Amino acid sequence: GAGVSQTPSNKVTEKGKYVELRCDPISGHTALYWYRQSLGQGPEFLIYFQGTGAADDSGLPNDRFFAVRPEGSVSTLKIQRTERGDSAVYLCASSLSLAGASGTGELFFGEGSRLTVL
Amino acid sequence: AQSVAQPEDQVNVAEGNPLTVKCTYSVSGNPYLFWYVQYPNRGLQFLLKYITGDNLVKGSYGFEAEFNKSQTSFHLKKPSALVSDSALYFCAVRVPNLSSGTYKYIFGTGTRLKVLA
């Protein structure tokens, strides 16, 4: 498809397990963001990639959370030793470029991965 | 601290009436401002943005927004609401991260718009 694709759409896991959430951005988009959205809240920034590198990971809540984008396209968000408080919808967004003043600025979002930790 | 505020959790409006969804921001400099809409079980969809120029910007589905620098507001408006406009609306601001030379988007908590037939 032409949009941002996220898999799985739903993931139910047990406390303490490891999960991986995948994001396939729009082809050619160099900027990629991960956000977390809890019920009744707005998206909360987690991490931003420009190309392969994490340009800003200041939103990751703790060292159980990690994300990679090895080839500058698909990204994987990894959560170790999941806790019930990690339950949320994890949103991925991509954009052409956010470097300097270039780019149109808007983000294109996937439909999210709903994570439930029991 | 940089932030975006959407003071109303929910806005109810009758179909055919004008609607306003409020947004104020607290950031330094001249930010880019955005509105996104989220339908149930869907990702956020871009509606419109303000970067510079005319304070009234027009976007998708007949929506527009007015930038007011003195009031640091960017309210979303539509002259005549439709039942299909019922959704969750998010205001967002793009701010520079000076330490990394990158940009970050800060979102408000969202306003649920309910258009009544």
Side-chain angles (χ1 to χ4, degrees):
Chain A
V4 177
S5 176
Q6 290 189 247
T7 55
S9 55
N10 277 286
K11 175 71 177 178
V12 180
T13 191
E14 294 179 344
K15 180 175 178 295
K17 298 291 188 181
Y18 169 84
V19 299
E20 289 189 351
L21 306 175
R22 174 189 167 107
C23 173
D24 198 344
I26 293 172
S27 178
H29 280 194
T30 57
L32 186 146
Y33 282 83
W34 282 100
Y35 282 84
R36 177 168 69 175
Q37 186 177 19
S38 301
L39 195 62
Q41 300 295 316
E44 173 193 2
F45 169 75
L46 295 177
I47 187 169
Y48 159 53
F49 287 90
Q50 181 63 38
T52 60
D56 185 347
D57 64 357
S58 62
L60 295 177
N62 51 60
D63 61 6
R64 295 187 297 105
F65 288 75
F66 189 73
V68 296
R69 195 185 184 198
E71 297 177 356
S73 178
V74 170
S75 176
T76 305
L77 178 66
K78 307 180 179 190
I79 311 174
Q80 298 177 320
R81 305 183 304 280
T82 51
E83 299 178 356
R84 292 192 181 88
D86 299 335
S87 297
V89 177
Y90 289 81
L91 298 171
C92 177
S94 70
S95 180
L96 271 172
S97 173
L98 295 179
S102 63
T104 53
E106 61 261 35
L107 298 178
F108 295 83
F109 282 85
E111 296 196 352
S113 293
R114 182 178 298 277
L115 174 66
T116 303
V117 182
L118 302 177
Chain B
Q2 301 182 104
S3 63
V4 175
Q6 292 182 244
E8 304 151 317
D9 289 338
Q10 181 159 322
V11 170
N12 295 329
V13 63
E15 187 175 34
N17 282 3
L19 68 88
T20 298
V21 182
K22 296 179 181 177
C23 172
T24 59
Y25 62 91
S26 175
V27 300
S28 54
N30 298 311
Y32 288 15
L33 296 158
F34 301 82
W35 275 100
Y36 288 83
V37 60
Q38 187 176 34
Y39 296 100
N41 300 314
R42 303 295 300 274
L44 278 71
Q45 296 176 35
F46 168 76
L47 272 182
L48 50 79
K49 67 184 177 188
Y50 173 82
I51 297 176
T52 188
D54 193 347
N55 289 343
L56 186 66
V57 293
K58 295 186 184 297
S60 307
Y61 312 121
F63 283 93
E64 55 191 31
E66 186 168 13
F67 170 66
N68 187 318
K69 186 171 184 177
S70 63
Q71 296 185 4
T72 61
S73 67
F74 189 55
H75 300 331
L76 181 70
K77 301 182 180 185
K78 187 173 182 180
S80 178
L82 300 172
V83 172
S84 58
D85 293 330
S86 299
L88 193 54
Y89 290 82
F90 290 97
C91 181
V93 59
R94 187 181 107 165
V95 298
N97 184 330
L98 297 177
S99 60
S100 66
T102 63
Y103 292 88
K104 180 185 296 187
Y105 290 77
I106 302 172
F107 285 82
T109 52
T111 298
R112 186 166 301 282
L113 174 66
K114 192 168 185 179
V115 181
L116 307 169

